[in-house]
Amino acid sequence: MKLITIKTDEKGISIHIPKTLLVHTQRNHPEYPLIIRDNQKFMEAVAKELEQSQDNDTGLSKLQTLIDETSYDVADDCPDFCDFKEFILD
């Protein structure tokens, strides 16, 4: 089974989650295993949920929240090429 792959190029970031991996991990989740009747519809619904569902507190999509949190971690861990704007002194 292929794992998630993340590639970058000059145009952006591409994240590939194989359908078999997504379905397998959710069917075998240790706390909340799912019964998935249609793999394709499940995958499409997960993608739509990531892209369109909004956090009630921020109004951002779940995907945008994940990107923001990851970007903040990068800023914390990699100050040589990324930092928080408020910490830059003029």
Coordinates of all heavy atoms in Angstrom, one line a residue:
M1 N 0.9 -1.2 0.0 CA 0.0 0.0 0.0 C 0.9 1.2 0.0 O 1.8 1.4 0.8 CB -0.9 0.0 1.2 CG -1.9 1.1 1.3 SD -3.0 1.1 2.7 CE -3.4 -0.6 2.9
K2 N 0.7 2.1 -0.9 CA 1.4 3.4 -1.0 C 1.0 4.3 0.1 O -0.1 4.4 0.5 CB 1.2 4.1 -2.3 CG 1.9 3.4 -3.5 CD 1.8 4.2 -4.7 CE 2.6 3.6 -5.8 NZ 2.7 4.5 -7.0
L3 N 2.0 5.1 0.6 CA 1.7 6.1 1.6 C 1.5 7.4 1.0 O 1.6 7.6 -0.2 CB 2.9 6.1 2.6 CG 3.3 4.8 3.3 CD1 4.5 5.0 4.2 CD2 2.1 4.3 4.1
I4 N 1.2 8.4 1.9 CA 0.9 9.7 1.5 C 2.2 10.3 0.9 O 3.3 10.1 1.5 CB 0.4 10.6 2.6 CG1 -0.9 10.1 3.1 CG2 0.3 12.0 2.3 CD1 -1.4 10.7 4.4
T5 N 2.1 11.0 -0.2 CA 3.3 11.6 -0.8 C 3.0 13.1 -0.9 O 1.9 13.6 -1.2 CB 3.6 11.1 -2.2 OG1 2.5 11.2 -3.0 CG2 4.1 9.6 -2.1
I6 N 4.0 13.9 -0.6 CA 3.9 15.4 -0.7 C 5.1 15.8 -1.6 O 6.3 15.5 -1.3 CB 4.0 16.0 0.7 CG1 2.9 15.5 1.6 CG2 3.9 17.5 0.6 CD1 3.0 15.9 3.0
K7 N 4.8 16.6 -2.6 CA 5.8 17.1 -3.6 C 5.6 18.6 -3.7 O 4.5 19.1 -3.6 CB 5.6 16.4 -4.9 CG 5.8 14.9 -4.9 CD 5.7 14.3 -6.3 CE 5.9 12.8 -6.2 NZ 5.8 12.2 -7.4
T8 N 6.8 19.2 -3.8 CA 6.7 20.7 -4.1 C 7.4 21.0 -5.4 O 8.3 20.3 -5.8 CB 7.5 21.4 -2.9 OG1 8.8 21.0 -2.9 CG2 6.8 21.2 -1.6
D9 N 7.0 22.1 -6.0 CA 7.7 22.6 -7.2 C 7.4 24.1 -7.2 O 6.9 24.6 -6.3 CB 7.2 21.9 -8.5 CG 5.7 22.1 -8.8 OD1 5.1 23.1 -8.3 OD2 5.1 21.2 -9.5
E10 N 7.8 24.8 -8.3 CA 7.7 26.2 -8.3 C 6.2 26.7 -8.3 O 5.9 27.8 -8.1 CB 8.4 26.8 -9.5 CG 7.9 26.4 -10.9 CD 8.4 25.0 -11.4 OE1 9.2 24.4 -10.7 OE2 7.8 24.5 -12.4
K11 N 5.3 25.8 -8.6 CA 3.9 26.1 -8.7 C 3.1 25.9 -7.4 O 2.1 26.5 -7.2 CB 3.2 25.3 -9.8 CG 3.7 25.6 -11.2 CD 3.0 24.8 -12.2 CE 3.5 25.1 -13.6 NZ 2.8 24.3 -14.6
G12 N 3.6 25.0 -6.5 CA 3.0 24.8 -5.3 C 3.3 23.5 -4.6 O 4.3 22.9 -4.9
I13 N 2.4 23.0 -3.8 CA 2.5 21.8 -3.0 C 1.4 20.8 -3.5 O 0.2 21.2 -3.6 CB 2.3 22.0 -1.5 CG1 3.4 22.9 -1.0 CG2 2.4 20.7 -0.8 CD1 3.2 23.3 0.5
S14 N 1.8 19.6 -3.8 CA 0.8 18.6 -4.2 C 0.8 17.5 -3.1 O 1.9 16.9 -2.8 CB 1.1 17.9 -5.5 OG 1.1 18.9 -6.5
I15 N -0.4 17.2 -2.6 CA -0.5 16.1 -1.5 C -1.3 15.0 -2.2 O -2.4 15.3 -2.6 CB -1.1 16.7 -0.3 CG1 -0.3 17.8 0.3 CG2 -1.3 15.5 0.8 CD1 -1.0 18.5 1.5
H16 N -0.8 13.8 -2.2 CA -1.5 12.7 -2.7 C -1.7 11.7 -1.6 O -0.8 11.2 -1.0 CB -0.7 12.0 -3.8 CG -1.3 10.8 -4.4 ND1 -2.4 10.9 -5.3 CD2 -1.1 9.5 -4.2 CE1 -2.8 9.7 -5.6 NE2 -2.0 8.8 -4.9
I17 N -3.0 11.4 -1.4 CA -3.4 10.4 -0.4 C -4.1 9.3 -1.2 O -5.2 9.5 -1.7 CB -4.4 11.0 0.7 CG1 -3.8 12.2 1.3 CG2 -4.8 9.9 1.7 CD1 -4.8 13.0 2.2
P18 N -3.5 8.1 -1.3 CA -4.1 7.1 -2.0 C -5.5 6.6 -1.4 O -5.6 6.6 -0.2 CB -3.1 5.9 -1.9 CG -1.8 6.6 -1.6 CD -2.2 7.8 -0.8
K19 N -6.4 6.4 -2.3 CA -7.7 6.0 -1.8 C -7.6 4.7 -0.9 O -8.3 4.7 0.1 CB -8.6 5.7 -3.0 CG -10.0 5.2 -2.7 CD -11.0 5.1 -3.8 CE -10.5 4.6 -5.1 NZ -11.5 4.4 -6.1
T20 N -6.8 3.8 -1.3 CA -6.7 2.5 -0.5 C -6.2 2.8 0.9 O -6.7 2.2 1.9 CB -5.8 1.5 -1.2 OG1 -4.5 2.1 -1.5 CG2 -6.4 1.0 -2.5
L21 N -5.3 3.8 1.0 CA -4.7 4.1 2.3 C -5.8 4.8 3.1 O -6.0 4.5 4.3 CB -3.5 5.0 2.2 CG -2.9 5.5 3.5 CD1 -2.3 4.4 4.3 CD2 -1.8 6.6 3.2
L22 N -6.5 5.8 2.5 CA -7.5 6.5 3.3 C -8.6 5.6 3.8 O -9.0 5.6 4.9 CB -8.2 7.6 2.3 CG -9.3 8.4 2.9 CD1 -8.9 9.2 4.1 CD2 -10.0 9.2 1.8
V23 N -9.1 4.7 2.9 CA -10.2 3.8 3.3 C -9.6 2.8 4.4 O -10.3 2.6 5.4 CB -10.7 3.0 2.1 CG1 -11.6 1.9 2.5 CG2 -11.4 4.0 1.1
H24 N -8.5 2.2 4.1 CA -7.9 1.3 5.1 C -7.7 1.9 6.5 O -8.1 1.3 7.5 CB -6.6 0.7 4.6 CG -5.9 -0.2 5.5 ND1 -6.2 -1.5 5.7 CD2 -4.9 0.1 6.4 CE1 -5.5 -2.0 6.6 NE2 -4.6 -1.1 7.1
T25 N -7.1 3.1 6.5 CA -6.9 3.7 7.8 C -8.2 4.0 8.6 O -8.2 3.9 9.8 CB -6.0 4.9 7.7 OG1 -6.6 5.9 6.9 CG2 -4.6 4.6 7.2
Q26 N -9.2 4.4 7.9 CA -10.5 4.7 8.5 C -11.3 3.5 8.9 O -12.0 3.5 9.9 CB -11.3 5.7 7.7 CG -10.6 7.0 7.4 CD -10.0 7.6 8.7 OE1 -10.7 7.9 9.7 NE2 -8.7 7.8 8.8
R27 N -11.2 2.5 8.1 CA -11.8 1.2 8.5 C -11.2 0.6 9.7 O -11.8 -0.2 10.4 CB -11.8 0.2 7.3 CG -12.8 0.5 6.3 CD -12.8 -0.5 5.2 NE -13.9 -0.3 4.2 CZ -13.9 -0.7 3.0 NH1 -12.8 -1.4 2.5 NH2 -14.9 -0.5 2.2
N28 N -9.9 0.8 9.9 CA -9.1 0.2 11.0 C -8.7 1.2 12.0 O -7.7 0.9 12.7 CB -7.9 -0.5 10.3 CG -8.3 -1.6 9.4 OD1 -8.8 -2.7 9.9 ND2 -8.2 -1.4 8.1
H29 N -9.4 2.3 12.1 CA -9.1 3.3 13.1 C -9.2 2.7 14.5 O -10.1 2.0 14.8 CB -10.0 4.5 13.0 CG -9.6 5.7 13.7 ND1 -9.8 5.8 15.1 CD2 -8.9 6.8 13.4 CE1 -9.3 7.0 15.5 NE2 -8.7 7.6 14.5
P30 N -8.2 2.9 15.4 CA -8.2 2.3 16.7 C -9.3 2.7 17.6 O -9.8 1.9 18.4 CB -6.8 2.6 17.3 CG -6.3 3.8 16.5 CD -7.0 3.7 15.2
E31 N -9.8 3.9 17.5 CA -10.9 4.4 18.3 C -12.3 4.4 17.7 O -13.3 4.1 18.3 CB -10.6 5.8 18.9 CG -9.4 5.7 19.9 CD -9.1 7.1 20.4 OE1 -10.1 7.7 20.9 OE2 -8.0 7.6 20.4
Y32 N -12.3 4.9 16.4 CA -13.5 5.1 15.7 C -13.5 4.5 14.3 O -13.5 5.2 13.3 CB -13.9 6.6 15.6 CG -13.9 7.3 16.9 CD1 -12.8 8.1 17.3 CD2 -14.9 7.1 17.8 CE1 -12.8 8.8 18.5 CE2 -14.9 7.7 19.1 CZ -13.8 8.6 19.4 OH -13.8 9.2 20.6
P33 N -13.5 3.1 14.2 CA -13.5 2.5 12.9 C -14.8 2.8 12.1 O -15.9 2.9 12.7 CB -13.3 1.0 13.2 CG -13.8 0.9 14.6 CD -13.5 2.2 15.3
L34 N -14.7 3.0 10.8 CA -15.8 3.3 10.0 C -16.2 2.1 9.1 O -15.3 1.3 8.8 CB -15.5 4.5 9.1 CG -15.1 5.8 9.7 CD1 -14.8 6.8 8.7 CD2 -16.2 6.3 10.7
I35 N -17.5 2.0 8.8 CA -18.0 1.1 7.8 C -18.1 1.9 6.5 O -19.0 2.8 6.5 CB -19.3 0.4 8.2 CG1 -19.1 -0.4 9.5 CG2 -19.8 -0.4 7.1 CD1 -20.4 -0.9 10.1
I36 N -17.3 1.7 5.5 CA -17.4 2.4 4.3 C -18.0 1.6 3.2 O -17.4 0.6 2.8 CB -15.9 2.9 3.9 CG1 -15.4 3.8 5.1 CG2 -16.0 3.7 2.6 CD1 -13.9 4.1 5.0
R37 N -19.1 2.0 2.7 CA -19.8 1.2 1.7 C -19.4 1.5 0.3 O -19.5 0.7 -0.6 CB -21.3 1.4 1.9 CG -21.8 0.8 3.2 CD -23.3 1.0 3.4 NE -23.7 0.8 4.7 CZ -23.5 1.6 5.7 NH1 -22.9 2.8 5.6 NH2 -23.9 1.3 6.9
D38 N -18.9 2.8 0.0 CA -18.6 3.2 -1.3 C -17.3 4.0 -1.2 O -17.3 5.1 -0.7 CB -19.7 4.0 -1.9 CG -19.4 4.4 -3.4 OD1 -18.2 4.8 -3.7 OD2 -20.3 4.3 -4.2
N39 N -16.2 3.4 -1.6 CA -14.8 4.0 -1.4 C -14.7 5.3 -2.1 O -14.2 6.3 -1.6 CB -13.7 3.0 -1.9 CG -13.6 1.8 -1.0 OD1 -14.3 1.7 0.0 ND2 -12.8 0.8 -1.5
Q40 N -15.2 5.4 -3.4 CA -15.1 6.6 -4.2 C -15.9 7.7 -3.6 O -15.4 8.8 -3.4 CB -15.5 6.3 -5.6 CG -15.3 7.5 -6.6 CD -13.9 7.9 -6.8 OE1 -13.0 7.0 -6.7 NE2 -13.6 9.2 -7.0
K41 N -17.1 7.5 -3.2 CA -17.9 8.5 -2.6 C -17.3 9.0 -1.3 O -17.4 10.2 -0.9 CB -19.4 8.0 -2.4 CG -20.1 7.9 -3.7 CD -21.6 7.5 -3.5 CE -22.3 7.4 -4.8 NZ -23.7 7.0 -4.6
F42 N -16.8 8.0 -0.5 CA -16.2 8.4 0.8 C -15.0 9.3 0.5 O -14.9 10.4 1.2 CB -15.7 7.1 1.5 CG -15.0 7.4 2.8 CD1 -15.7 7.9 3.9 CD2 -13.6 7.2 2.9 CE1 -15.0 8.2 5.1 CE2 -12.9 7.5 4.1 CZ -13.6 8.0 5.2
M43 N -14.1 9.0 -0.4 CA -13.0 9.8 -0.7 C -13.4 11.2 -1.2 O -12.8 12.2 -0.7 CB -12.1 9.1 -1.8 CG -10.8 9.9 -2.1 SD -9.9 9.1 -3.4 CE -11.0 9.2 -4.8
E44 N -14.4 11.3 -2.0 CA -14.9 12.6 -2.5 C -15.5 13.4 -1.4 O -15.2 14.6 -1.3 CB -15.9 12.4 -3.6 CG -15.3 11.8 -4.9 CD -16.3 11.4 -5.9 OE1 -17.5 11.5 -5.7 OE2 -15.9 10.9 -7.0
A45 N -16.2 12.8 -0.5 CA -16.8 13.5 0.7 C -15.7 14.0 1.6 O -15.8 15.1 2.2 CB -17.7 12.5 1.4
V46 N -14.6 13.2 1.8 CA -13.5 13.6 2.7 C -12.9 14.9 2.1 O -12.6 15.9 2.8 CB -12.5 12.5 2.9 CG1 -11.2 13.0 3.6 CG2 -13.1 11.4 3.8
A47 N -12.6 14.8 0.8 CA -12.0 16.0 0.1 C -12.9 17.2 0.2 O -12.4 18.3 0.5 CB -11.7 15.6 -1.4
K48 N -14.1 17.1 0.0 CA -15.1 18.2 0.1 C -15.1 18.7 1.5 O -15.1 20.0 1.7 CB -16.5 17.8 -0.4 CG -17.5 18.9 -0.4 CD -18.8 18.4 -0.9 CE -19.8 19.5 -0.8 NZ -21.2 19.0 -1.3
E49 N -15.1 17.9 2.5 CA -15.1 18.3 3.9 C -13.9 19.1 4.2 O -14.0 20.1 4.9 CB -15.3 17.0 4.8 CG -15.4 17.3 6.3 CD -16.7 17.9 6.7 OE1 -17.7 17.8 5.9 OE2 -16.8 18.5 7.8
L50 N -12.7 18.6 3.8 CA -11.5 19.3 4.0 C -11.5 20.7 3.4 O -11.1 21.7 4.0 CB -10.3 18.5 3.4 CG -9.8 17.4 4.3 CD1 -8.8 16.6 3.5 CD2 -9.1 17.9 5.6
E51 N -12.0 20.8 2.2 CA -12.0 22.0 1.4 C -13.1 23.0 1.9 O -12.8 24.2 1.9 CB -12.1 21.7 0.0 CG -12.0 22.9 -0.9 CD -12.1 22.6 -2.4 OE1 -12.8 21.6 -2.7 OE2 -11.6 23.3 -3.2
Q52 N -14.3 22.5 2.2 CA -15.4 23.4 2.3 C -15.9 23.6 3.7 O -16.5 24.6 4.0 CB -16.6 23.0 1.4 CG -16.2 23.0 0.0 CD -17.4 22.6 -0.9 OE1 -18.4 22.1 -0.4 NE2 -17.2 22.6 -2.2
S53 N -15.7 22.6 4.6 CA -16.3 22.8 6.0 C -15.6 23.9 6.7 O -14.4 24.1 6.5 CB -16.1 21.4 6.7 OG -14.8 21.2 6.9
Q54 N -16.3 24.6 7.5 CA -15.7 25.7 8.2 C -15.7 25.5 9.7 O -16.6 24.9 10.3 CB -16.5 27.0 7.9 CG -16.4 27.5 6.5 CD -17.1 28.8 6.3 OE1 -17.9 29.2 7.0 NE2 -16.7 29.5 5.2
D55 N -14.6 26.0 10.3 CA -14.5 26.0 11.8 C -15.4 27.1 12.3 O -15.4 28.2 11.8 CB -13.0 26.3 12.1 CG -12.8 26.4 13.6 OD1 -13.3 27.3 14.3 OD2 -12.1 25.5 14.1
N56 N -16.2 26.8 13.3 CA -17.2 27.7 13.8 C -16.5 29.0 14.4 O -17.1 30.1 14.4 CB -18.1 27.1 14.8 CG -19.0 26.1 14.2 OD1 -19.4 26.2 13.0 ND2 -19.4 25.1 14.9
D57 N -15.4 28.8 15.0 CA -14.7 29.9 15.6 C -14.0 30.8 14.7 O -14.0 32.0 14.8 CB -13.7 29.4 16.7 CG -14.4 28.6 17.8 OD1 -15.5 29.0 18.2 OD2 -13.7 27.7 18.4
T58 N -13.3 30.3 13.6 CA -12.5 31.1 12.8 C -13.1 31.3 11.4 O -12.8 32.3 10.7 CB -11.1 30.4 12.5 OG1 -11.4 29.2 11.8 CG2 -10.4 30.1 13.8
G59 N -14.0 30.5 11.0 CA -14.6 30.6 9.6 C -13.7 30.0 8.5 O -14.1 30.1 7.4
L60 N -12.6 29.5 8.9 CA -11.7 28.9 8.0 C -12.0 27.4 7.7 O -12.6 26.8 8.5 CB -10.2 28.9 8.5 CG -9.7 30.3 8.8 CD1 -8.3 30.2 9.5 CD2 -9.5 31.1 7.5
S61 N -11.6 26.9 6.5 CA -11.8 25.5 6.2 C -10.9 24.7 7.1 O -9.9 25.2 7.6 CB -11.6 25.2 4.8 OG -10.2 25.3 4.5
K62 N -11.2 23.4 7.2 CA -10.3 22.5 8.0 C -9.0 22.5 7.3 O -7.9 22.4 8.0 CB -10.9 21.1 8.1 CG -12.2 21.1 9.0 CD -12.8 19.7 9.0 CE -14.0 19.7 9.9 NZ -14.7 18.4 9.9
L63 N -8.9 22.5 6.0 CA -7.6 22.4 5.3 C -6.8 23.7 5.6 O -5.6 23.7 5.8 CB -7.9 22.2 3.8 CG -6.6 22.1 3.0 CD1 -5.8 20.9 3.4 CD2 -7.0 21.9 1.5
Q64 N -7.5 24.9 5.5 CA -6.8 26.1 5.8 C -6.3 26.2 7.2 O -5.2 26.6 7.5 CB -7.7 27.3 5.6 CG -7.0 28.7 5.8 CD -5.9 28.9 4.8 OE1 -6.0 28.7 3.6 NE2 -4.7 29.2 5.3
T65 N -7.0 25.6 8.2 CA -6.6 25.6 9.6 C -5.3 24.7 9.7 O -4.4 25.1 10.4 CB -7.7 25.0 10.5 OG1 -8.8 26.0 10.4 CG2 -7.2 24.9 11.9
L66 N -5.3 23.5 9.0 CA -4.2 22.7 9.0 C -3.0 23.3 8.4 O -1.9 23.3 8.9 CB -4.5 21.4 8.2 CG -3.4 20.4 8.1 CD1 -2.9 19.9 9.4 CD2 -3.8 19.2 7.2
I67 N -3.2 24.0 7.3 CA -2.1 24.8 6.6 C -1.5 25.9 7.6 O -0.3 26.0 7.7 CB -2.5 25.4 5.3 CG1 -2.8 24.2 4.3 CG2 -1.5 26.4 4.7 CD1 -3.5 24.7 3.0
D68 N -2.4 26.6 8.2 CA -2.0 27.7 9.1 C -1.2 27.1 10.3 O -0.1 27.6 10.6 CB -3.2 28.4 9.7 CG -3.8 29.4 8.6 OD1 -3.2 29.5 7.5 OD2 -4.9 29.9 8.9
E69 N -1.7 26.1 10.9 CA -1.0 25.5 12.1 C 0.4 24.9 11.6 O 1.3 25.1 12.4 CB -1.9 24.4 12.7 CG -3.1 24.9 13.4 CD -4.0 23.8 13.9 OE1 -3.8 22.6 13.6 OE2 -5.0 24.2 14.5
T70 N 0.4 24.3 10.5 CA 1.7 23.8 10.0 C 2.7 24.9 9.7 O 3.9 24.8 10.0 CB 1.5 22.9 8.7 OG1 0.5 21.8 9.1 CG2 2.8 22.3 8.2
S71 N 2.2 26.0 9.1 CA 3.0 27.1 8.8 C 3.6 27.8 10.1 O 4.7 28.2 10.1 CB 2.2 28.2 8.0 OG 1.9 27.6 6.7
Y72 N 2.8 27.8 11.1 CA 3.2 28.4 12.4 C 4.3 27.5 13.0 O 5.3 28.0 13.6 CB 2.1 28.5 13.4 CG 0.9 29.4 12.9 CD1 -0.4 29.2 13.3 CD2 1.1 30.4 12.0 CE1 -1.4 30.0 12.9 CE2 0.1 31.2 11.5 CZ -1.2 31.0 12.0 OH -2.2 31.8 11.5
D73 N 4.2 26.2 12.9 CA 5.2 25.3 13.3 C 6.5 25.5 12.6 O 7.6 25.5 13.2 CB 4.8 23.8 13.2 CG 3.6 23.4 14.1 OD1 3.4 24.2 15.1 OD2 3.0 22.4 13.9
V74 N 6.4 25.7 11.3 CA 7.6 26.0 10.5 C 8.3 27.3 11.0 O 9.5 27.4 11.1 CB 7.3 26.1 9.0 CG1 8.4 26.6 8.2 CG2 6.9 24.7 8.4
A75 N 7.5 28.3 11.2 CA 8.0 29.6 11.7 C 8.7 29.4 13.0 O 9.8 30.0 13.3 CB 6.9 30.6 11.8
D76 N 8.2 28.6 13.9 CA 8.8 28.3 15.2 C 10.1 27.6 15.0 O 11.1 27.8 15.7 CB 7.8 27.5 16.1 CG 6.8 28.3 16.8 OD1 7.0 29.5 16.9 OD2 5.8 27.7 17.2
D77 N 10.1 26.6 14.1 CA 11.2 25.7 14.0 C 12.3 26.2 13.0 O 13.4 25.7 13.1 CB 10.8 24.3 13.5 CG 9.8 23.7 14.6 OD1 9.9 24.1 15.7 OD2 9.1 22.8 14.2
C78 N 12.0 27.1 12.1 CA 13.0 27.5 11.1 C 13.1 29.0 10.9 O 12.9 29.6 9.9 CB 12.5 26.9 9.7 SG 12.2 25.1 9.8
P79 N 13.6 29.6 12.0 CA 13.7 31.1 11.9 C 14.7 31.6 10.9 O 14.7 32.8 10.6 CB 14.1 31.5 13.3 CG 14.8 30.2 13.9 CD 14.1 29.1 13.2
D80 N 15.6 30.7 10.4 CA 16.6 31.2 9.4 C 15.9 31.6 8.1 O 16.5 32.4 7.3 CB 17.7 30.2 9.2 CG 17.2 28.8 8.7 OD1 16.1 28.4 9.3 OD2 17.8 28.2 7.9
F81 N 14.7 31.1 7.7 CA 14.1 31.5 6.5 C 12.6 31.8 6.6 O 11.9 32.2 5.7 CB 14.2 30.4 5.4 CG 13.6 29.1 5.8 CD1 12.2 28.9 5.5 CD2 14.3 28.1 6.4 CE1 11.6 27.6 5.8 CE2 13.7 26.9 6.7 CZ 12.4 26.7 6.4
C82 N 12.1 31.8 7.9 CA 10.7 32.1 8.1 C 10.5 32.6 9.6 O 11.1 32.0 10.5 CB 9.8 30.9 7.8 SG 8.1 31.2 8.0
D83 N 9.7 33.6 9.8 CA 9.5 34.1 11.1 C 8.1 34.8 11.2 O 7.5 35.1 10.1 CB 10.6 35.2 11.5 CG 10.9 35.2 13.0 OD1 10.0 34.8 13.8 OD2 12.0 35.6 13.4
F84 N 7.7 35.0 12.4 CA 6.4 35.7 12.6 C 6.6 37.2 12.4 O 7.6 37.8 12.9 CB 5.9 35.5 14.0 CG 5.4 34.0 14.2 CD1 6.3 33.1 14.8 CD2 4.2 33.6 13.7 CE1 5.9 31.8 15.0 CE2 3.8 32.3 13.9 CZ 4.6 31.4 14.5
K85 N 5.7 37.9 11.7 CA 5.9 39.3 11.3 C 6.0 40.2 12.6 O 6.8 41.1 12.6 CB 4.7 39.8 10.5 CG 4.8 41.1 9.9 CD 3.7 41.5 9.0 CE 3.8 42.8 8.4 NZ 2.8 43.1 7.4
E86 N 5.3 39.8 13.6 CA 5.3 40.7 14.9 C 6.7 40.6 15.6 O 7.0 41.5 16.4 CB 4.2 40.2 15.8 CG 4.5 38.9 16.4 CD 3.2 38.0 16.4 OE1 2.4 38.2 15.6 OE2 3.1 37.2 17.3
F87 N 7.6 39.6 15.2 CA 8.9 39.5 15.9 C 10.0 40.2 15.1 O 11.1 40.3 15.5 CB 9.3 38.1 16.1 CG 8.3 37.3 17.0 CD1 7.8 36.1 16.7 CD2 7.9 37.9 18.2 CE1 7.0 35.4 17.5 CE2 7.1 37.2 19.1 CZ 6.6 36.0 18.7
I88 N 9.6 40.7 13.9 CA 10.6 41.4 13.1 C 10.6 42.9 13.5 O 9.6 43.6 13.5 CB 10.3 41.3 11.6 CG1 10.1 39.9 11.2 CG2 11.3 42.1 10.7 CD1 11.4 39.1 11.3
L89 N 11.8 43.4 13.9 CA 11.9 44.8 14.3 C 12.3 45.6 13.1 O 13.1 45.3 12.3 CB 13.0 44.9 15.4 CG 12.8 44.0 16.6 CD1 14.0 44.1 17.5 CD2 11.5 44.5 17.4
D90 N 11.7 46.8 13.1 CA 11.9 47.7 12.0 C 13.2 48.6 12.3 O 13.5 48.9 13.4 CB 10.7 48.6 11.7 CG 9.6 47.8 11.2 OD1 9.8 46.9 10.4 OD2 8.4 48.1 11.5

